[in-house]
Amino acid sequence: MSKKEFVQRMFNDIAPGYDKLNHILSLNIDKCWRKKAVRKICAAQPSCVLDVACGTGDFSIALAEHGVPHVIGVDISEGMLDVGRKKVEEKGLHIELQIDDCEHLSFQDASFDAVSVAFGVRNFEHLSLGLTEMYRVLSPGGIVCIVELSVPRNPVLLWIYKLYFIHILPRVGGFLTGNTKAYRYLPASVIHFPKPDQFCSMMYNAGFQDVEAHAFTFGLCRMFIGKK
């Protein structure tokens, strides 16, 4: 089974309880990180934003609530999108959430003023291809904003981090969802994600310019910004 197929099945399986458990396990700090990224995107005043690997739509919803006129969210998990569509409907927002492959986006070149990925880029099977596709659909002058969990560099924080994410999180997540394998994959995907400087180099190689990396909460999360 390819990584893409595994990720698709995994998120379909955990979708019903994903939001609640995600906020509990992150102690709601993820909401703060998301707000910072949304403010960064909205400062560019985009009229149309593509939210890649949108999951249950939290970031897409936040963009729309902050005044972005047209938001499209794409993901490979129908289960996650179903949860997102219900949330969008309850809030009365106009957001398009649809199935699409981040490595083969179905949109024309230069279709969006901004592209975002919140806590999903580490799930790409072919990361370089996904970055290239995001660059392709971005309009000249547009920005990409990628928010992703990260590994802290401080040795003490790193020890605590590994204790929690490798040993505690899988047990709690597995107990509450019945899918221990998923909550072993999630921390492993963070640990094996490219280091900040390596990921910035990958963004440059995909065509992005003026790439920046910003650390949040002692390096537990990082925001990467690039321009076309």
Side-chain angles (χ1 to χ4, degrees):
M1 181 188 301
S2 69
K3 178 179 179 179
K4 187 178 299 183
E5 291 173 321
F6 169 78
V7 168
Q8 184 180 42
R9 293 184 183 183
M10 178 188 70
F11 280 108
N12 281 338
D13 185 53
I14 66 176
Y18 177 81
D19 280 341
K20 184 177 181 180
L21 185 59
N22 188 46
H23 295 318
I24 291 174
L25 293 176
S26 69
L27 305 177
N28 275 328
I29 301 176
D30 62 305
K31 294 182 180 180
C32 177
W33 300 333
R34 190 175 291 108
K35 288 180 181 178
K36 291 181 179 180
V38 167
R39 286 198 295 267
K40 183 68 175 181
I41 292 175
C42 290
Q45 298 182 321
S47 60
C48 188
V49 177
L50 176 66
D51 187 24
V52 177
C54 66
T56 61
D58 277 351
F59 202 83
S60 298
I61 290 170
L63 288 169
E65 290 181 333
H66 278 74
V68 177
H70 190 194
V71 179
I72 298 177
V74 297
D75 201 280
I76 61 171
S77 169
E78 187 65 48
M80 298 287 275
L81 290 172
D82 283 343
V83 174
R85 292 182 185 114
K86 292 176 183 176
K87 289 157 61 175
V88 169
E89 184 177 358
E90 290 173 357
K91 290 179 174 290
L93 298 170
H94 299 288
I95 300 173
E96 298 178 43
L97 298 180
Q98 62 189 56
I99 284 282
D100 208 348
D101 185 344
C102 63
E103 297 170 9
H104 304 282
L105 293 169
S106 59
F107 304 98
Q108 295 182 353
D109 296 356
S111 297
F112 300 92
D113 303 317
V115 176
S116 64
V117 192
F119 312 112
V121 74
R122 70 182 185 278
N123 297 316
F124 289 10
E125 183 170 19
H126 304 289
L127 184 52
S128 295
L129 183 55
L131 290 171
T132 300
E133 274 293 274
M134 288 190 282
Y135 181 84
R136 179 184 67 79
V137 301
L138 189 63
S139 297
I143 69 166
V144 63
C145 179
I146 299 171
V147 184
E148 191 51 88
L149 297 174
S150 183
V151 178
R153 294 179 175 177
N154 180 283
V156 176
L157 287 177
L158 180 60
W159 183 85
I160 296 173
Y161 175 92
K162 289 185 175 180
L163 174 65
Y164 178 70
F165 276 91
I166 296 177
H167 299 288
I168 297 176
L169 185 148
R171 294 183 181 182
V172 176
F175 175 76
L176 295 177
T177 66
N179 193 329
T180 302
K181 189 174 183 179
Y183 285 92
R184 284 177 180 163
Y185 162 79
L186 293 172
S189 66
V190 178
I191 291 172
H192 292 105
F193 190 73
K195 293 180 180 180
D197 56 342
Q198 295 173 324
F199 188 66
C200 287
S201 294
M202 294 181 73
M203 291 181 65
Y204 275 117
N205 289 338
F208 293 105
Q209 301 297 317
D210 302 327
V211 175
E212 306 172 5
H214 303 272
F216 299 152
T217 317
F218 308 107
L220 291 176
C221 176
R222 296 182 191 274
M223 178 175 69
F224 300 91
I225 302 295
K227 299 179 181 178
K228 183 172 182 178

